[in-house]
Amino acid sequence: MEKLQNYIAGQLMDPVGQDWIDNYQPATGKVYSLIPDSDERDVALAVEAAQKAFPSWSVTSVGERSRLLLRLSQLIEQNLERLAQAESKDNGKPVSLARNVDIPRASSNFHFYATAIEQFASEAHIMEDKAINYTLRKPVGIAGCISPWNLPLYLFSWKIAPALAAGNCVVAKPSEITPMTAFLLSELCIEAGFPPGVLNIVHGYGPKVGQAIVEHPEIPLISFTGGTSTGEHIARTAAPMFKKLSLELGGKNPNLIFADCDFDKMIATTVRSSFANQGQICLCGSRIYVERPIYEKFKNAFVEKVKRMVPGDPSLATTRQGALVSKAHLEKVISYIQLAQEEGGTVLAGGQQVTLEGPLSEGYYLQPTVLEGLGPHCRTNQEEIFGPVVTIAPFDTEEEAVTHANNTPYGLASIVWTENLSRAHRVANQLHAGITWINCWLLRDLRTPFGGVKQSGVGREGGFEALQFFTEPQNVCIQL
Ligand code: NDP
């Protein structure tokens, strides 16, 4: 069975403890590879390697850093098919999604930050004839980057690329549930000629490897994407050590549909924004509120489309719904469907686990599920489910729609459908969310700020925001 390895000091190596974790294929429910069950000793080696590399990497010219990141971006592109198949196998997502979204966007992340660092400038402040201030932007040192399983390479690269571009060295941990493309990335870094120790990837469990990264005194900065409760735990550990923290956390995103929307475009996009990646995208709209005059029309059209979405073998090009990422996650999502019914909800579509035939019979498949009849305050409408489950409900006024939208502890993304320009601006301005899409979804310009408010996170990724986070400003004041 294939054994993945850590990438430390430019080498692929086994974990110090020689312990391994079973890596399951969600489509079959079978173990298909082993990953290092690393611990604080492996993290210590990675930090040591990063410390050795930092003095030279931090003064490597911007041009050279940019060249290496561009090379990595090209290698991802050249290996797109291999990476897409690996991502699909490891995560359960349809290979078409990995091919069209995950892997191209991972390549774009490196390309974007390779060029963004060449445009990144700092400020100068002139005090008339008294003084000139200028701000130096220095790399912070060793960045700890921890990422989740839903968009494995895509979110991993979204952190690593700006951290490296800004001159930091990195100790990174992918989710132990989806380690494969991070492992393949380490091979590509070797091929690209990255200096040893600049990027280190340590595989293993969050409470062991992730915790060791967050606690390590020589790692002054943590960039984390994952669940809100893990984020809370990380903040509690890192704050007394005065670490710089970026937290991209969970969501419970509203999708507000007004009667004046472009109905066909809205329906097609709402199916995607509800169920893409089996609903396991932090930006999926899971609470759908529809203006009453079109509620029945929406319900009929939406339910009919969702009923036609049948989960299938993720490796087939035609599959649009794959497997959920793990057995534990499948069970969690099913428990929420049960809870929804206990709370008075009606299942309009889906709701059942699916058993496929032959080698896929033990895979983690679930029908896309639409629920109706639930109030805005129930747990189903308040807690993040992170699976192929949405609720639908009517609303009567714009004010009511905005109130429902803002009525959760989360504030990551929001979606609004209306052809009324004034309403679009007015509603967007009132939503408590880091991101609002009007008449679209998942349209991403990498220059824009990305992140959430309330319990969806602290700080922003994207564009120069990430480069600011991964650098420390120092003001220099010269008296004239
Ligand atoms: P988790 O919070 O469980 O895990 C995220 C990462 O943190 C994993 O690598 C995990 O390792 C690690 N980890 C777990 N415990 C610790 C710890 N004590 N110290 C350090 N690291 C730790 O999230 P999931 O992987 O389940 O991802 C799903 C969540 O991510 C959802 O809530 C989703 O909304 C959120 N998310 C947010 C995004 C955003 O941009 N705001 C984007 C995508 C997802 P391990 O896998 O071994 O547990």
Side-chain angles (χ1 to χ4, degrees):
M1 187 158 312
E2 187 182 7
K3 274 185 172 170
L4 276 56
Q5 290 178 297
N6 290 330
Y7 172 53
I8 297 174
Q11 312 273 329
L12 295 175
M13 55 175 80
D14 288 351
V16 175
Q18 287 296 331
D19 291 322
W20 304 88
I21 303 168
D22 289 340
N23 187 25
Y24 287 83
Q25 181 181 355
T28 61
K30 300 271 185 340
V31 176
Y32 83 103
S33 58
L34 297 172
I35 73 161
D37 181 3
S38 312
D39 60 29
E40 71 285 352
R41 291 170 295 175
D42 303 279
V43 172
L45 286 178
V47 171
E48 217 175 278
Q51 276 177 315
K52 275 198 194 129
F54 183 70
S56 149
W57 181 249
S58 56
V59 297
T60 295
S61 70
V62 164
E64 175 59 10
R65 292 204 299 258
S66 171
R67 190 192 65 76
L68 275 168
L69 291 171
L70 282 175
R71 177 81 189 113
L72 188 55
S73 163
Q74 285 160 358
L75 284 171
I76 293 173
E77 226 173 272
Q78 285 162 17
N79 286 273
L80 190 147
E81 189 52 32
R82 191 165 71 97
L83 288 164
Q85 301 221 6
E87 199 73 292
S88 166
K89 186 169 182 181
D90 210 30
N91 172 279
K93 67 178 67 209
V95 70
S96 59
L97 187 69
R99 206 177 266 146
N100 294 312
V101 179
D102 292 73
I103 309 304
R105 288 195 181 190
S107 171
S108 302
N109 288 342
F110 284 110
H111 188 280
F112 177 81
Y113 279 107
T115 52
I117 195 63
E118 297 198 301
Q119 312 298 326
F120 188 48
S122 60
E123 293 174 324
H125 299 90
I126 319 294
M127 297 169 73
E128 295 83 38
D129 56 354
K130 291 196 196 67
I132 297 175
N133 296 271
Y134 62 86
T135 308
L136 295 173
R137 281 261 162 205
K138 298 173 169 176
V140 181
I142 304 174
C145 298
I146 302 174
S147 58
W149 48 257
N150 63 326
L151 304 166
L153 189 61
Y154 174 8
L155 292 178
F156 198 57
S157 54
W158 186 231
K159 297 184 178 309
I160 291 170
L164 294 177
N168 301 281
C169 292
V170 171
V171 175
K173 188 197 99 64
S175 170
E176 121 274 344
I177 300 168
T178 53
M180 187 54 87
T181 47
F183 171 67
L184 297 176
L185 183 77
S186 41
E187 293 181 338
L188 297 182
C189 287
I190 295 172
E191 193 178 337
F194 270 66
V198 164
L199 171 63
N200 305 275
I201 301 175
V202 186
H203 295 274
Y205 290 117
K208 261 159 102 172
V209 174
Q211 186 71 22
I213 291 174
V214 176
E215 281 178 352
H216 202 294
E218 299 302 326
I219 299 182
L221 174 153
I222 302 291
S223 173
F224 170 80
T225 299
T228 294
S229 59
T230 316
E232 189 185 332
H233 175 79
I234 286 175
R236 219 181 282 125
T237 311
M241 299 173 83
F242 304 105
K243 297 195 178 203
K244 238 181 150 177
L245 260 187
S246 162
L247 301 172
E248 299 291 340
L249 309 176
K252 189 75 183 172
N253 309 313
N255 182 358
L256 305 182
I257 299 169
F258 288 90
D260 63 12
C261 69
D262 175 337
F263 191 85
D264 293 342
K265 185 176 170 208
M266 175 278 294
I267 275 282
T269 308
T270 295
V271 169
R272 236 169 26 88
S273 68
S274 304
F275 300 115
N277 205 36
Q278 295 73 248
Q280 303 166 132
I281 300 181
C282 53
L283 306 165
C284 279
S286 56
R287 296 179 295 134
I288 304 176
Y289 290 107
V290 186
E291 203 171 4
R292 199 174 300 275
I294 61 160
Y295 183 73
E296 287 302 317
K297 181 180 172 194
F298 168 82
K299 178 169 137 180
N300 293 335
F302 186 60
V303 166
E304 194 231 303
K305 279 191 189 305
V306 175
K307 281 187 172 163
R308 281 197 264 125
M309 297 173 76
V310 182
D313 182 350
S315 69
L316 298 179
T318 47
T319 297
R320 292 293 170 268
Q321 283 290 293
L324 270 68
V325 76
S326 68
K327 188 159 185 278
H329 191 58
L330 172 72
E331 285 163 0
K332 177 190 147 186
V333 176
I334 290 173
S335 77
Y336 269 103
I337 297 172
Q338 280 156 2
L339 172 75
Q341 291 169 91
E342 283 157 28
E343 290 185 316
T346 307
V347 177
L348 298 179
Q352 299 297 321
Q353 194 176 341
V354 177
T355 305
L356 299 184
E357 304 213 317
L360 307 182
S361 62
E362 286 173 44
Y364 317 133
Y365 301 95
L366 181 67
Q367 292 173 331
T369 301
V370 181
L371 299 161
E372 188 190 38
L374 289 157
H377 302 288
C378 68
R379 282 182 57 201
T380 312
N381 270 329
Q382 289 290 316
E383 297 175 14
E384 185 184 43
I385 300 174
F386 212 56
V389 178
V390 296
T391 62
I392 65 169
F395 69 83
D396 291 300
T397 64
E398 188 178 303
E399 194 187 358
E400 188 192 349
V402 170
T403 303
H404 288 334
N406 290 338
N407 173 36
T408 75
Y410 295 104
L412 185 53
S414 50
I415 311 163
V416 181
W417 288 94
T418 178
E419 291 293 300
N420 179 328
L421 186 63
S422 307
R423 189 203 323 266
H425 291 300
R426 195 168 54 235
V427 171
N429 190 37
Q430 293 175 77
L431 291 174
H432 302 162
I435 301 158
T436 296
W437 277 292
I438 311 277
N439 300 333
C440 60
W441 179 70
L442 213 61
L443 196 51
R444 289 275 297 123
D445 179 328
L446 299 186
R447 294 169 299 181
T448 60
F450 180 92
V453 300
K454 301 196 285 188
Q455 291 185 20
S456 288
V458 178
R460 291 291 181 278
E461 296 186 317
F464 291 143
E465 302 260 355
L467 293 177
Q468 270 157 8
F469 173 69
F470 284 111
T471 53
E472 201 67 86
Q474 178 186 357
N475 187 65
V476 179
C477 176
I478 308 163
Q479 192 170 35
L480 295 177

